[in-house]
Amino acid sequence: MKKNFLLGLFMIMASVSFAQKPKKLTTGQFGERKPQDVSTIPVTKAKSIDKDYRVGPFIKTQPLTTVENEIILQEGWKLQAEEELKYTGFQISETSYEDNSWYNATVPGTVLTTLVNEKVYPDPYFGVNNTLIPDDLSRKNWWYRTEFKVPADKTEDKTYIVLNGINYSANVWLNGHKIGQLKGAFVRGKFEVSDFIKKGDNNALAIQILPPPNPGIPQEAHLEDRGRNGGQLCLDGPTFISSEGWDWIPGIRDRNIGVWQDVRVRFENGLNIANPFVVTDLDLPDLTKAHINISTTVNNTTSKVISAEVEAKIEKVIVKKTVRVAPNSSTEVTFDPSEYKKLNFKNPRLWWPNGYGAQELYTLELSVSKDGKVSDKKNVRFGIRELSFGLTVDTKDQQNVRIDYNPIADKSETHFLDNREPRKELQGVFVPKLAEGFDIKDFDQGEDTHLNPYLVIKVNGTPIFIKGGNWGMDDGMKRAERERLEPYLQLHKDANFNLIRNWTGESTEEIFYELCDEYGMLVWNDFWLSTQNYNLVPNDYNLFMDNAKDVVLRYRNHPSIVIWCPRNEGYAPDYLDTELSTLVTKYDGTRFYQGNSRNLNLRNSGPWHYAPDQTFYTVKSAYGFSTELGTTSAPTAETMRKMMAEEDLWPINDVWAYHDFHWGQEKYVAHIDELYGEATGIDDFCRKAQFVNYNSHRAMFESWNSKLWNNTTGLLLWMTHPAWPSTVWQVYSYDYETFGSYFASKVACEPLHIQKNIESGYIEVINASSNDLEKATASVEVFDLEGKQVSTVSKEVSLASNSMQTLIEKNFSKDIKGVHMVRLSLKDKKGKVISVNEYWETEEGGNFQKINDLEKISVAVVEVSEDANYKYFEISNTSSTPALNVKLNALSASTDKVILPAYFSEGYFTLMPNEKRVVKLNKANISETIKVRVTGYNIKKNNVSPVF
């Protein structure tokens, strides 16, 4: 993801000329040409390797739900390296072939996933186990094989094998016949097998997986060198380009090749539905009317003309159309609301991003029939919502023209912007120009000219203040089951985030988008290109576009997807940019094609390192829309113990560096030591690190809050989500533990929020919601280190939706000496607390080491109530000493092990002497009796509640 500081400066200063190309391929661009010096590869101090140990998370997957015209092939898969075999696909795909010596394969799954599950190799996520796995897994062919039975009563005319995702390329065989081939990680394959399938009998399916031709050579990170950010594998996009290794993930030994999505047998009667599309159009600003346009392709795979009846059903609304489809051809069928009046919905249930409303979803049931018999059917889930975008463009005659771009109103089939020669507006900020053939009069004039030149995302006409983060990859080994991913989305929702960036498209799969739909996460979706003038571009543009087209057609019904972007940190090459922008305009037409993930109507990305002086964010960073801003977020000691051996935990060493704590973390460690005292071990370091994690992450979001809709429009962390057990860019752990950075983000991103301006110390109230705030009460309390209240003040506040107000122009702690806490709170007109924000501070140049002298205390936990969704616990401090960084975990009453995920409403807060606070626990993942463990900066060990 990142380069070193000097290269970063170069990129800021360099021309953004669209056609600019590097003069010379560097090691950074091309990756390694020879294996790494063995002396620099990280080594564990552990005496043995346990192949049985697994890092987690430990999940129970459920069988995929099939539909009546499909069979999902989920069981009985086998895997073997081609070099171990003597036969070809003709023999391997016969039912008589013996595969008893093959590995039991995990499908969906990668080659490495199977080999780890089969205990051929240890868990690559623990310690430096990954270095023990041979890299030639990515340089050999592999075979997957399964046998299945088709019921004899399947009377449909046509049978197909459907592959929903392989990597990198595949040859497919059934019952001794080669039925097709597939290439690219993101394209579907559908192969007719009507002449080869055996109904009522066993069938054998064999899939030969071929690796990418340029897998590259990973460099293992250590304290002196973080390795390369990609390399030769970028030549093979569309694939998982980060699998060669980046500064947030090591090289995955198989490069995630395999049958990583499901395989199905599909039955049809000569007609099928392809690529259905639902477009929802509101009469903005009126939200009480929605016009639903439905379109689909109907294919006739027979040699006869067919009169086909197409039916579309949305809840109680049913519309039908009869069309004649010529032999072996296709026709486009459209249900236009101007013709089909039932598709004009009154008072529709709208889909909103998290924090702005509910995530209402509808299901379109689409079917095609001939002679009264259904031949094919598809269900399409969609949301009624409309996207628009505020941005700044140049014309031939005028600069800095603010427009409100609504893709639905744009009826052209080419992109309206020319990104080839953008104009520099500010350092690192550029403005595109209107493309030839477009007139500025064709666009609505933007009223938010004070936000020039920055991008604004609007949903249902409402500007959305973007708060979220980047996902480099859902899982480093592409284990993308719903059961694994859903807790991450729940954590994002609870943290008040509203957008996830799918960095270089590494998380492009159905379940990711489904969950984003359900949890209200907008998706900024990149394609598979990384940094311009640093990473290589794909060799095969046509392959790239084939995969890109299928991705757009396949996922365009998801309301969560808001932006298609060609590349991380740069512009796509000329040909690809033209093709991609035209593709998005022609086959989607409801979203914005953003030509660059930074600079273009955006601020520059970064920095990604820890900033000891947090005014840096307000003074130098907080402007515009940032798609990447990051800092270190070390885990808890308990999390660290899950990812490496006890011998490797302390002091910080190459095993830490292998888990991303490499070059660039010195300031972070030094500042922890300076503020809280030099760490004495892993527990002490991680305990202190949570303070720094909390303050730094809150500072980033609150610096953007301070300029809400003044000149800031959105902030994405680099990163919110770790692809594997990491030590740096994240707000929670790989196995769902929440850090100080998580609860800081949760507080700073809450829709109704009170905060202290980082630079001035003034008190500000933020309303980043859809509703006005009326007659609320804001309070400021200052406490000394002993917990005594030094001062307090309250003030009434009313605040319109989507606005910010400086409420009190006074820095209450400016003249206070020593360590103290400023607590801000906001209550609604009924007295309900809606925001609490606590700042531990000291005088300028001071430190917090006096907190190390606080008495170790215990706090009590009592369950006070329970409803259908939550348990409510009262946490009370009956001592005379403040309890700092109070954190709760749920423990299994039977095993005393921590239950993860566990969704507590608050964490890393302070309880003053004789204070109580009610914290709620979401029961979603709690299926047994529990205890509640309380940890904190000065809380005694084993502070565990009775059983609840």
Side-chain angles (χ1 to χ4, degrees):
M1 182 270 303
K2 302 295 159 283
K3 282 68 66 185
N4 60 39
F5 181 68
L6 291 177
L7 183 57
L9 284 178
F10 169 77
M11 292 301 295
I12 294 173
M13 298 168 61
S15 163
V16 293
S17 170
F18 191 89
Q20 183 180 0
K21 297 184 181 296
K23 296 179 180 179
K24 180 180 178 182
L25 287 176
T26 67
T27 300
Q29 293 163 320
F30 199 76
E32 297 297 320
R33 291 168 172 80
K34 62 181 181 179
Q36 185 174 350
D37 184 343
V38 175
S39 67
T40 65
I41 296 177
V43 177
T44 179
K45 295 177 183 177
K47 296 178 180 178
S48 62
I49 302 298
D50 184 357
K51 284 188 177 181
D52 293 332
Y53 180 81
R54 295 292 179 267
V55 173
F58 304 102
I59 60 173
K60 294 180 181 179
T61 59
Q62 298 297 319
L64 298 174
T65 302
T66 188
V67 295
E68 62 186 64
N69 60 333
E70 291 183 342
I71 299 172
I72 304 179
L73 303 181
Q74 302 181 71
E75 306 293 338
W77 284 95
K78 300 280 189 155
L79 172 74
Q80 187 56 272
E82 187 172 271
E83 63 190 13
E84 301 293 327
L85 305 176
K86 298 179 181 179
Y87 300 99
T88 68
F90 291 107
Q91 294 84 26
I92 295 172
S93 63
E94 292 284 4
T95 54
S96 59
Y97 181 84
E98 292 290 338
D99 59 11
N100 294 333
S101 63
W102 290 33
Y103 301 111
N104 293 316
T106 302
V107 175
T110 64
V111 167
L112 182 57
T113 296
T114 287
L115 297 178
V116 171
N117 288 347
E118 289 288 281
K119 300 182 181 178
V120 178
Y121 302 115
D123 189 338
Y125 286 9
F126 184 78
V128 293
N129 284 354
N130 193 56
T131 65
L132 306 177
I133 302 174
D135 200 54
D136 70 351
L137 299 183
S138 65
R139 290 173 167 79
K140 60 178 70 173
N141 297 346
W142 295 84
W143 282 87
Y144 285 82
R145 185 180 187 279
T146 191
E147 294 188 15
F148 62 94
K149 182 174 284 189
V150 173
D153 60 359
K154 279 292 181 184
T155 60
E156 289 86 351
D157 301 330
K158 303 282 186 176
T159 305
Y160 300 85
I161 296 293
V162 177
L163 274 64
N164 278 319
I166 58 88
N167 189 34
Y168 176 69
S169 60
N171 293 309
V172 189
W173 300 74
L174 179 73
N175 295 336
H177 301 273
K178 185 177 180 180
I179 59 173
Q181 58 191 28
L182 194 60
K183 191 172 185 180
F186 306 101
V187 69
R188 295 165 290 183
K190 183 178 180 182
F191 311 106
E192 186 181 354
V193 294
S194 305
D195 293 337
F196 313 130
I197 201 76
K198 302 173 185 177
K199 294 182 179 180
D201 201 353
N202 277 349
N203 296 268
L205 177 66
I207 304 173
Q208 181 193 32
I209 295 293
L210 288 75
N214 299 285
I217 302 174
Q219 184 183 17
E220 316 300 354
H222 51 93
L223 285 176
E224 301 303 319
D225 192 336
R226 62 181 181 180
R228 303 284 170 253
N229 283 337
Q232 297 176 45
L233 188 59
C234 291
L235 293 168
D236 298 328
T239 188
F240 306 108
I241 61 174
S242 65
S243 297
E244 188 179 348
W246 228 265
D247 56 5
W248 46 270
I249 192 172
I252 303 300
R253 294 317 196 232
D254 67 345
R255 306 300 186 271
N256 283 316
I257 61 174
V259 183
W260 74 279
Q261 293 284 274
D262 63 64
V263 180
R264 304 180 180 220
V265 185
R266 185 169 177 81
F267 308 97
E268 299 169 4
N269 272 319
L271 289 172
N272 66 62
I273 296 166
N275 304 315
F277 190 25
V278 182
V279 176
T280 60
D281 186 3
L282 302 173
D283 285 346
L284 297 175
D286 183 357
L287 300 180
T288 65
K289 298 175 184 178
H291 312 289
I292 315 299
N293 186 291
I294 302 167
S295 60
T296 190
T297 300
V298 174
N299 298 309
N300 177 1
T301 58
T302 75
S303 58
K304 299 179 180 179
V305 176
I306 296 180
S307 177
E309 183 179 73
V310 183
E311 178 181 287
K313 179 181 178 183
I314 304 172
E315 297 181 349
K316 296 180 180 181
V317 173
I318 299 175
V319 291
K320 299 179 181 181
K321 176 180 282 190
T322 300
V323 294
R324 288 176 60 82
V325 191
N328 296 306
S329 65
S330 303
T331 189
E332 295 299 313
V333 177
T334 299
F335 295 96
D336 192 305
S338 63
E339 180 182 358
Y340 294 86
K341 304 301 183 182
K342 292 180 180 179
L343 296 177
N344 296 294
F345 283 23
K346 294 181 179 180
N347 300 312
R349 307 188 309 271
L350 300 181
W351 187 94
W352 291 94
N354 186 35
Y356 286 84
Q359 290 75 56
E360 296 286 356
L361 294 168
Y362 290 80
T363 298
L364 164 67
E365 300 174 52
L366 199 60
S367 64
V368 59
S369 304
K370 65 173 181 178
D371 301 327
K373 184 177 180 181
V374 174
S375 178
D376 191 18
K377 63 172 68 174
K378 279 188 170 64
N379 288 348
V380 179
R381 198 172 67 167
F382 68 98
I384 296 179
R385 63 98 179 93
E386 185 171 335
L387 302 173
S388 54
F389 304 86
L391 64 149
T392 301
V393 301
D394 287 351
T395 70
K396 290 181 179 179
D397 307 315
Q398 197 175 358
Q399 292 183 349
N400 283 333
V401 180
R402 193 71 180 173
I403 65 171
D404 190 27
Y405 175 66
N406 188 324
I408 293 177
D410 182 1
K411 303 303 181 183
S412 64
E413 291 194 355
T414 59
H415 190 47
F416 72 102
L417 293 178
D418 183 351
N419 299 322
R420 288 167 176 76
E421 296 179 359
R423 177 182 55 82
K424 181 178 179 180
E425 173 72 9
L426 301 168
Q427 188 68 29
V429 181
F430 293 79
V431 174
K433 63 182 179 182
L434 209 60
E436 289 288 338
F438 288 87
D439 193 320
I440 196 66
K441 296 178 182 178
D442 296 333
F443 300 90
D444 290 337
Q445 182 177 347
E447 298 179 358
D448 53 356
T449 54
H450 61 288
L451 293 173
N452 271 341
Y454 300 114
L455 175 69
V456 173
I457 295 173
K458 301 178 183 181
V459 179
N460 303 329
T462 298
I464 307 299
F465 193 63
I466 297 299
K467 301 166 287 189
N470 286 259
W471 282 32
M473 191 186 290
D474 43 20
D475 175 69
M477 291 167 62
K478 289 307 299 177
R479 294 171 293 189
E481 311 94 337
R482 168 177 278 268
E483 294 84 357
R484 184 182 301 269
L485 298 189
E486 187 165 11
Y488 300 136
L489 272 297
Q490 180 71 62
L491 288 168
H492 273 67
K493 184 180 181 72
D494 290 353
N496 300 305
F497 296 144
N498 56 33
L499 190 146
I500 294 172
R501 179 180 169 214
N502 182 12
W503 181 86
T504 70
E506 308 280 289
S507 301
T508 298
E509 71 253 339
E510 179 67 27
I511 191 60
F512 171 72
Y513 300 117
E514 282 184 5
L515 289 167
C516 288
D517 293 345
E518 294 167 17
Y519 285 88
M521 293 300 120
L522 298 170
V523 177
W524 175 302
N525 210 93
D526 291 352
F527 290 104
W528 316 286
L529 291 162
S530 194
T531 310
Q532 185 179 8
N533 295 335
Y534 181 81
N535 290 116
L536 300 167
V537 297
N539 277 330
D540 191 336
Y541 283 6
N542 291 333
L543 173 66
F544 191 100
M545 289 306 305
D546 287 344
N547 277 248
K549 180 179 179 180
D550 203 41
V551 164
V552 171
L553 291 173
R554 185 176 183 179
Y555 301 120
R556 61 187 177 177
N557 288 301
H558 289 281
S560 55
I561 300 174
V562 64
I563 278 175
W564 299 108
C565 184
R567 186 176 203 160
N568 170 58
E569 297 178 335
Y571 301 90
D574 191 354
Y575 170 81
L576 279 182
D577 183 73
T578 300
E579 291 292 306
L580 284 169
S581 62
T582 301
L583 168 70
V584 169
T585 304
K586 181 178 180 180
Y587 291 105
D588 186 336
T590 66
R591 297 172 176 90
F592 182 46
Y593 176 82
Q594 169 68 30
N596 190 333
S597 77
R598 64 179 181 186
N599 303 126
L600 194 68
N601 285 131
L602 308 167
R603 72 184 287 284
N604 199 32
S605 54
W608 306 271
H609 55 74
Y610 177 69
D613 180 3
Q614 291 170 5
T615 62
F616 166 82
Y617 295 119
T618 297
V619 175
K620 295 186 177 181
S621 292
Y623 59 94
F625 192 129
S626 176
T627 56
E628 295 185 21
L629 183 69
T631 187
T632 312
S633 175
T636 63
E638 191 168 46
T639 297
M640 291 292 292
R641 286 188 166 90
K642 294 179 183 178
M643 70 170 77
M644 63 184 67
E646 192 72 26
E647 299 94 319
D648 296 326
L649 288 172
W650 195 260
I652 295 170
N653 54 65
D654 281 347
V655 181
W656 283 56
Y658 197 67
H659 286 264
D660 313 327
F661 206 87
H662 36 60
W663 170 87
Q665 310 309 325
E666 298 86 354
K667 287 183 180 180
Y668 179 77
V669 176
H671 206 220
I672 290 173
D673 289 347
E674 176 188 337
L675 292 179
Y676 302 99
E678 186 173 350
T680 58
I682 182 67
D683 294 281
D684 191 39
F685 175 80
C686 292
R687 177 179 66 127
K688 292 169 176 174
Q690 300 315 312
F691 261 122
V692 173
N693 290 350
Y694 195 105
N695 293 334
S696 59
H697 284 74
R698 176 173 60 184
M700 287 189 285
F701 281 114
E702 289 191 341
S703 64
W704 254 254
N705 288 345
S706 289
K707 302 177 183 180
L708 174 79
W709 303 128
N710 182 354
N711 78 337
T712 62
T713 64
L715 173 63
L716 302 181
L717 293 181
W718 183 265
M719 311 161 76
T720 50
H721 173 79
W724 83 309
S726 180
T727 58
V728 181
W729 294 301
Q730 59 196 344
V731 297
Y732 50 72
S733 72
Y734 177 74
D735 64 344
Y736 318 120
E737 177 61 295
T738 46
F739 308 146
S741 48
Y742 176 81
F743 285 101
S745 301
K746 177 178 169 64
V747 167
C749 293
E750 57 193 357
L752 296 170
H753 179 62
I754 186 168
Q755 68 179 43
K756 193 178 183 195
N757 184 285
I758 300 169
E759 184 181 9
S760 67
Y762 294 171
I763 307 304
E764 300 168 335
V765 179
I766 286 83
N767 182 359
S769 76
S770 298
N771 301 312
D772 294 344
L773 178 66
E774 296 180 354
K775 295 183 179 180
T777 301
S779 300
V780 183
E781 299 172 277
V782 182
F783 298 86
D784 64 18
L785 187 54
E786 295 179 349
K788 296 178 181 178
Q789 189 180 85
V790 176
S791 63
T792 181
V793 66
S794 297
K795 189 173 183 178
E796 186 178 289
V797 57
S798 293
L799 191 59
S801 64
N802 250 336
S803 64
M804 188 278 292
Q805 179 181 339
T806 300
L807 186 65
I808 305 174
E809 294 186 0
K810 179 181 178 180
N811 187 344
F812 286 86
S813 56
K814 182 178 181 180
D815 299 321
I816 300 177
K817 303 296 182 183
V819 179
H820 58 277
M821 188 189 80
V822 179
R823 176 183 287 161
L824 310 179
S825 61
L826 190 64
K827 295 180 181 180
D828 65 18
K829 59 185 178 182
K830 295 182 179 180
K832 180 183 178 182
V833 176
I834 51 180
S835 177
V836 176
N837 199 356
E838 299 169 339
Y839 298 81
W840 279 100
E841 300 178 340
T842 189
E843 70 267 29
E844 187 174 350
N847 60 54
F848 296 94
Q849 295 184 26
K850 282 190 175 295
I851 67 174
N852 296 327
D853 299 329
L854 288 173
E855 178 188 357
K856 299 291 184 182
I857 62 171
S858 298
V859 298
V861 181
V862 177
E863 183 176 356
V864 292
S865 63
E866 181 176 1
D867 59 29
N869 299 314
Y870 296 97
K871 287 178 173 286
Y872 297 83
F873 298 100
E874 183 180 80
I875 319 299
S876 55
N877 176 11
T878 58
S879 77
S880 59
T881 302
L884 277 60
N885 269 12
V886 177
K887 169 73 164 65
L888 308 181
N889 283 99
L891 306 184
S892 166
S894 59
T895 67
D896 279 340
K897 291 184 178 179
V898 173
I899 298 172
L900 292 174
Y903 310 108
F904 284 98
S905 60
E906 297 182 61
Y908 294 97
F909 57 87
T910 297
L911 282 177
M912 287 301 173
N914 298 310
E915 264 192 348
K916 300 176 181 180
R917 185 175 299 196
V918 174
V919 177
K920 63 182 181 180
L921 170 63
N922 189 324
K923 293 160 58 176
N925 192 48
I926 307 300
S927 59
E928 58 183 304
T929 55
I930 65 169
K931 304 175 186 177
V932 175
R933 185 186 68 187
V934 185
T935 55
Y937 197 85
N938 62 320
I939 292 177
K940 292 178 181 179
K941 289 185 177 180
N942 301 317
N943 194 139
V944 180
S945 75
V947 174
F948 299 119

